[in-house]
Amino acid sequence: MISYDRRGSGTPIVLVHGIGSRWQCFEPILDRLAESHEVISIDLPGFGASPMVEGVVPGPRGYADWLEGWLADNGIERPHLVGSSMGGGIGLELGRRGVASAVTAFSPVGFWGTAGLRWTQSLLTVMRIAARTAGPALDRVVQTPTGRTLLLSSMFGRPALLTPAMAEGDLHGLAAATAFESARADFGRYWLSADDDQGKLPKIPVTIAWGTKDVVLIHRTQSARARAAMPHARHLDLPGCGHLPFNDDPDTCARLILEDAAIKAIKEIR
């Protein structure tokens, strides 16, 4: 049974998390979006509370294949896709195929060089090992703002703002993710450049936003590659935000998504 949250009404916005994460990473912005849209945030197979699904290939393209079918099965037609990290790559892939009517991608994967790819895979591995081996000690550490800053500064620009419950849930989700290793390995087969077939992406609203304090997918180099590869998109920096900006600056993240939704609506009227 796939785990997801569904709230609000209106045109659909679907939110897709990254590797080792879960739908709750979007919790700080969900109610804002649901004031004017139906909002579906989903745990990908093998992450969060969703079990692995037979035949799914973890990784941006494999999950895009699965999600395309899941959306069709649930009657969700041409939604606005919002993705974080690996979820950003999934959203861009579904936009390329014409499945998504708009894409808002936060620090999407695929714009790395060889060194950046190795760095990302290594950092994620270290975090996963720490989450799996520290056990109850992690739960004690995250009870204080200082502890959350020490443990989670690689993911958040302002980790002290997280609640202890959110920090515990994120770390336990990372430790328990059954698809983690497969998705991490698949990153080595996922590269995005200006030479790739971008399909329908130039015809729909696309925003790529990057936290300036992102150290998982390094802001300075990878956001520059994204600008070069996708000049048709709107590219924005998120000052002071980390790899997961939704808790760092929920107002700005929600505003960017709603701006893309408004642009999409205008294009459809025309």
Side-chain angles (χ1 to χ4, degrees), residues 82-251:
V82 176
S84 169
S85 191
M86 181 176 69
I90 295 167
L92 291 171
E93 176 63 21
L94 291 180
R96 184 188 69 79
R97 300 180 187 185
V99 175
S101 58
V103 177
T104 310
F106 294 88
S107 295
V109 296
F111 297 105
W112 36 45
T114 300
L117 169 64
R118 290 174 179 168
W119 163 256
T120 298
Q121 291 175 316
S122 297
L123 178 60
L124 291 171
T125 299
V126 169
M127 293 182 63
R128 160 96 157 167
I129 291 171
R132 298 187 79 179
T133 57
L138 284 178
D139 294 343
R140 292 193 296 271
V141 172
V142 299
Q143 297 306 310
T144 67
T146 300
R148 294 194 292 279
T149 298
L150 289 172
L151 280 176
L152 296 169
S153 58
S154 60
M155 299 300 292
F156 299 90
R158 303 178 179 97
L161 296 179
L162 266 75
T163 64
M166 180 63 80
E168 286 180 29
D170 286 348
L171 290 166
H172 286 300
L174 174 61
T178 57
F180 179 89
E181 283 82 7
S182 296
R184 180 191 58 198
D186 187 76
F187 284 179
R189 296 182 287 274
Y190 190 71
W191 303 73
L192 297 172
S193 73
D195 296 329
D196 296 324
D197 175 16
Q198 299 193 14
K200 302 292 187 181
L201 282 173
K203 299 180 180 181
I204 64 173
V206 176
T207 291
I208 296 177
W210 227 287
T212 59
K213 295 178 70 175
D214 190 342
V215 297
V216 178
L217 298 171
I218 305 297
H219 163 261
R220 183 178 62 82
T221 54
Q222 299 195 36
S223 66
R225 288 194 181 95
R227 285 177 166 88
M230 297 189 174
H232 55 80
R234 177 175 65 152
H235 295 268
L236 298 169
D237 291 339
L238 302 175
C241 291
H243 185 62
L244 297 174
F246 315 106
N247 196 83
D248 292 333
D249 192 349
D251 290 336

Side-chain angles (χ1 to χ4, degrees), residues 4-159:
Y4 63 94
D5 178 85
R6 197 166 190 168
R7 64 184 76 178
S9 62
T11 56
I13 297 177
V14 175
L15 298 101
V16 187
H17 63 76
I19 186 172
S21 191
R22 57 197 184 122
W23 72 257
Q24 287 89 345
C25 73
F26 298 108
E27 189 72 57
I29 65 172
L30 294 181
D31 286 338
R32 290 171 171 85
L33 301 180
E35 290 175 4
S36 53
H37 294 272
E38 181 182 25
V39 181
I40 304 104
S41 42
I42 188 167
D43 281 341
L44 294 168
F47 292 103
S50 291
M52 193 57 204
V53 174
E54 186 178 357
V56 174
V57 179
R61 293 191 179 94
Y63 278 133
D65 292 340
W66 172 82
L67 184 55
E68 182 175 358
W70 188 89
L71 293 171
D73 290 344
N74 285 273
I76 303 169
E77 298 182 3
R78 298 199 75 243
H80 177 174
L81 257 292
V82 176
S84 169
S85 191
M86 181 176 69
I90 295 167
L92 291 171
E93 176 63 21
L94 291 180
R96 184 188 69 79
R97 300 180 187 185
V99 175
S101 58
V103 177
T104 310
F106 294 88
S107 295
V109 296
F111 297 105
W112 36 45
T114 300
L117 169 64
R118 290 174 179 168
W119 163 256
T120 298
Q121 291 175 316
S122 297
L123 178 60
L124 291 171
T125 299
V126 169
M127 293 182 63
R128 160 96 157 167
I129 291 171
R132 298 187 79 179
T133 57
L138 284 178
D139 294 343
R140 292 193 296 271
V141 172
V142 299
Q143 297 306 310
T144 67
T146 300
R148 294 194 292 279
T149 298
L150 289 172
L151 280 176
L152 296 169
S153 58
S154 60
M155 299 300 292
F156 299 90
R158 303 178 179 97

